Amino acid sequence: MNAYQHPETNPLVSRDTRWREELRERMSTRERTSLPRVEMPEIPSEYRVKCNDEVNQGLSIEQAVLEARRCLDCPDPGCMKGCPVANHIPAFIKNVERRHFAEALEVLSLTTVLPAVCGRVCPQEKQCEAGCIYNKMKKPPVAIGNLERFVADFNREVSRQEGYGPVVPTVSKIASPFFGGIRIAVIGSGPSGLAFAGDMAKRGYDVTVFEALDRLGGVLKYGIPEFCLPKDVVNAEIARVAELGVKFVKNTCVGITMGFDELQEQGFKGIFIATGAGKPRFMGIPGENLPGVMTANEYLIRYNAKNTDDIYGQNVMTLRRKRVAVIGAGNTAMDAVRAALRLGAEKAMIVYRRSASEMPAREEEVRHAREEGVEFLTLHNPVEYLADENGTLCAMRLQRMELGEPDESGRRSPIEIPGAVETVDVDLVVVCVGYLPNPPEQLPDQLRSRQGKIKVDDESGKSSRPSIYAGGDIVRGAATVILAMGDGRRAAKAMSEAFEEIISNTTLG
Ligand SMILES: Cc1cc2nc3c(=O)[nH]c(=O)nc-3n(C[C@H](O)[C@H](O)[C@H](O)COP(=O)(O)OP(=O)(O)OC[C@H]3O[C@@H](n4cnc5c(N)ncnc54)[C@H](O)[C@@H]3O)c2cc1C
Ligand code: SF4
């Protein structure tokens, strides 16, 4: 029998245990809801722009326990409905309240392999925290993301201090000999590939992740900067996935270094494609090819390399006394503009064609950018980049916009104000207007959509080839860490069920 214990049937998450009843009785709802939300301690903006240290400093034990008390342990928790990986939110938070931090991590580990990452970069305000009952009381929701981060960080620190390897909770180790020997290949080591790999390894499959680059983690490593997501945090979570038995092969670009047929020859019976959306999108305006105009990829890969002291780190960028404009207002744009300040830029601007309320970046990122002195040129759209006598970028022409009717995304469309064009001096432009999917070479044509994505069934992640599944940005287009992870988890469940069916049919036959 498959020993993998489905999270829903795990006693670790049951609300009816004695200890949870006792905790609920210990404080009244009125007492809990009168506690103010504990705010995340942060490095002051005037100091943090001079360094690359993580801005959010994490909750102390006492702060975490205090915040955990606010959670009402709801019988029908709205928070869980908003979590794409279905974290057992009240179960882990109540473990924090009773100071059982290792159990809190065990609970989280049932559903996520990246709690320290998600606790830092997920847009909780649009997901779990948006579903928290406190919103109905017009009070700030329980700080679920900050508590998730606390649990992961606390356990990582304890394991470091006490000298043992990555903390792998016992429940996560339950592998079934049932699937032992079935080889599964994962293409891409970003959040989607990691979530899929972790869940398959827990079920007992023999999983190998192939990564094109020389480092693991996808955008978590080469996109999101250290001041939002320290690389040692990502490394520690990847080490936990490796502890589950997942093997990693770096510097292998499937479709180029190694073909799909080779994967089959090596005995891989299932393939999960999670190659992300790494192709930069351009606006197609005059001057986009000038020296001084960069894509977010070129710029952030260099920035992150500089801060990881590897061979690429020789290519140190400095923007001292430079004026930098970042085009777009998503998370990538906020990271890029805040990185510019840390590289010494004299002026760092966001240029965005809609208004502030339509900006897609996480609220916290926008707040941090404002505090750090970023200028926001909202309702402005670049129409041309201009060169000086040496052919290098020196200015940009910006069209003023106003908002019209909502478009298909529900956001009000920007409309040009006739004749309202201004010229602004600039030394570097970073274009962050989105990414396109990055399918592997040699992928069968029938699996590709017209937009370059991989076509799969929404629920299972299964493609029209029964052994090939896909998820994350390669299926959705540029999205979020947690949506990519949710895809990985659903595909793992579906692929495993397909193998179970094949095996039980073979046994019966
Ligand atoms: C700068 C930046 C900041 C962001 N900030 C946030 C944030 O704050 N919060 C948030 O939720 N989301 C954020 N995102 C989005 C988020 O990072 C992505 O949605 C998420 O990483 C997608 O995960 P993925 O696993 O699908 O792909 P990726 O993370 O892109 O990983 C894909 C991996 O596949 C590898 N690969 C590609 N082709 C091949 C091949 N042929 N063979 C082998 N390997 C291959 C790539 O090298 C890469 O490592 C940000 C994105 C960027 C670029
Ligand atoms: S909805 Fe809010 S209060 Fe209720 S269980 Fe979830 S986090 Fe706790």
Side-chain angles (χ1 to χ4, degrees):
M1 249 314 275
N2 177 11
Y4 177 74
Q5 195 170 15
H6 198 268
E8 277 70 53
T9 59
N10 195 306
L12 262 179
V13 301
S14 168
R15 188 174 179 273
D16 301 327
T17 47
R18 187 67 208 121
W19 70 265
R20 260 170 92 170
E21 281 166 11
E22 277 170 14
L23 270 192
R24 286 197 292 274
E25 284 157 14
R26 202 173 286 169
M27 280 175 84
S28 67
T29 299
R30 181 193 281 268
E31 282 173 301
R32 289 185 190 275
T33 54
S34 62
L35 294 170
R37 173 169 158 135
V38 176
E39 290 308 326
M40 172 64 80
E42 293 172 355
I43 306 184
S45 53
E46 59 281 13
Y47 171 72
R48 70 193 190 220
V49 289
K50 299 193 181 80
C51 67
N52 203 31
D53 292 354
E54 190 180 9
V55 172
N56 289 341
Q57 292 292 287
L59 302 181
S60 67
I61 293 178
E62 293 317 315
Q63 286 173 320
V65 171
L66 192 58
E67 182 61 20
R69 282 192 197 131
R70 295 182 68 227
C71 171
L72 303 177
D73 200 3
C74 303
D76 181 22
C79 54
M80 282 185 65
K81 295 184 187 118
C83 176
V85 296
N87 279 344
H88 295 276
I89 293 168
F92 99 77
I93 294 183
K94 290 300 109 177
N95 272 301
V96 174
E97 184 175 345
R98 67 167 178 161
R99 297 171 190 262
H100 285 214
F101 305 131
E103 279 94 330
L105 183 62
E106 285 201 38
V107 171
L108 282 169
S109 301
L110 290 168
T111 48
T112 174
V113 288
L114 300 174
V117 169
C118 292
R120 285 170 163 83
V121 303
C122 279
Q124 288 101 8
E125 72 271 14
K126 293 183 188 147
Q127 295 178 327
C128 53
E129 294 184 15
C132 177
I133 188 94
Y134 273 73
N135 294 300
K136 292 198 179 133
M137 301 178 237
K138 304 269 177 279
K139 289 178 187 254
V142 174
I144 302 166
N146 293 350
L147 288 171
E148 182 179 14
R149 169 193 162 136
F150 166 81
V151 169
D153 287 0
F154 178 88
N155 284 286
R156 194 177 60 250
E157 270 318 304
V158 168
S159 68
R160 251 186 214 147
Q161 283 165 19
E162 299 190 357
Y164 35 82
V167 173
V168 184
T170 47
V171 285
S172 300
K173 282 184 179 161
I174 41 171
S176 163
F178 186 64
F179 299 115
I182 300 185
R183 300 191 77 192
I184 305 294
V186 180
I187 310 178
S189 68
S192 198
L194 291 171
F196 174 88
D199 270 19
M200 289 302 268
K202 285 182 205 169
R203 291 178 161 93
Y205 292 88
D206 180 358
V207 186
T208 305
V209 178
F210 295 93
E211 169 53 53
L213 299 180
D214 63 347
R215 68 195 74 173
L216 303 172
V219 171
L220 307 179
K221 267 300 176 48
Y222 60 76
I224 306 179
E226 182 81 10
F227 54 82
C228 287
L229 179 62
K231 303 306 157 219
D232 64 348
V233 168
V234 182
N235 287 337
E237 304 226 301
I238 294 174
R240 294 179 69 222
V241 178
E243 278 283 300
L244 292 168
V246 174
K247 286 166 261 181
F248 290 95
V249 181
K250 294 192 263 188
N251 298 311
T252 304
C253 186
V254 176
I256 296 181
T257 332
M258 179 191 216
F260 279 83
D261 46 351
E262 244 176 295
L263 287 179
Q264 262 176 352
E265 281 159 24
Q266 290 187 18
F268 288 101
K269 301 283 186 234
I271 299 175
F272 180 65
I273 304 177
T275 47
K279 278 195 205 159
R281 196 192 283 271
F282 292 94
M283 293 177 65
I285 59 173
E288 244 176 347
N289 292 327
L290 286 173
V293 182
M294 285 176 119
T295 66
N297 273 18
E298 294 172 86
Y299 168 83
L300 283 171
I301 286 177
R302 283 192 217 184
Y303 180 78
N304 283 316
K306 171 179 181 283
N307 289 298
T308 49
D309 286 341
D310 64 7
I311 49 162
Y312 304 109
Q314 292 162 9
N315 193 356
V316 172
M317 289 199 294
T318 169
L319 296 176
R320 206 156 298 139
R321 290 192 288 280
K322 302 279 188 216
R323 295 152 300 186
V324 179
V326 172
I327 316 301
N331 290 321
T332 312
M334 295 305 146
D335 287 347
V337 79
R338 295 174 65 205
L341 289 171
R342 284 156 175 82
L343 290 167
E346 176 187 288
K347 193 171 183 181
M349 299 166 266
I350 284 283
V351 178
Y352 182 51
R353 63 196 182 127
R354 301 182 202 243
S355 76
S357 51
E358 283 85 28
M359 292 195 289
R362 287 186 296 126
E363 272 173 20
E364 183 187 75
E365 279 249 47
V366 176
R367 177 173 61 80
H368 283 164
R370 284 193 198 283
E371 288 168 2
E372 288 165 13
V374 169
E375 254 179 64
F376 284 77
L377 300 178
T378 49
L379 294 169
H380 283 77
N381 199 29
V383 286
E384 185 179 5
Y385 300 115
L386 307 174
D388 61 14
E389 61 282 6
N390 303 316
T392 303
L393 173 78
C394 66
M396 55 188 175
R397 280 164 44 81
L398 302 178
Q399 167 70 58
R400 293 288 306 274
M401 314 293 281
E402 62 187 349
L403 291 181
E405 293 304 311
D407 62 16
E408 68 279 3
S409 73
R411 294 180 302 171
R412 290 176 66 194
S413 314
I415 300 170
E416 289 179 9
I417 302 174
V421 177
E422 34 190 86
T423 303
V424 175
D425 293 341
V426 67
D427 303 297
L428 174 71
V429 163
V430 183
V431 182
C432 301
V433 293
Y435 286 98
L436 298 169
N438 204 19
E441 297 291 320
Q442 295 184 9
L443 184 78
D445 280 345
Q446 79 210 64
L447 304 193
R448 294 171 197 259
S449 75
R450 270 197 303 183
Q451 305 86 24
K453 299 177 190 169
I454 297 184
K455 287 188 281 186
V456 293
D457 170 62
D458 283 350
E459 217 18 70
S460 64
K462 187 174 175 178
S463 75
S464 55
R465 287 271 179 102
S467 60
I468 300 185
Y469 289 62
D473 283 4
I474 186 62
V475 164
R476 297 173 176 273
T480 62
V481 168
I482 197 72
L483 289 173
M485 289 179 68
D487 289 350
R489 294 207 66 215
R490 276 194 305 280
K493 182 170 180 285
M495 190 189 278
S496 185
E497 282 169 2
F499 278 115
E500 275 176 54
E501 203 178 313
I502 293 170
I503 291 171
S504 64
N505 286 344
T506 318
T507 317
L508 286 174

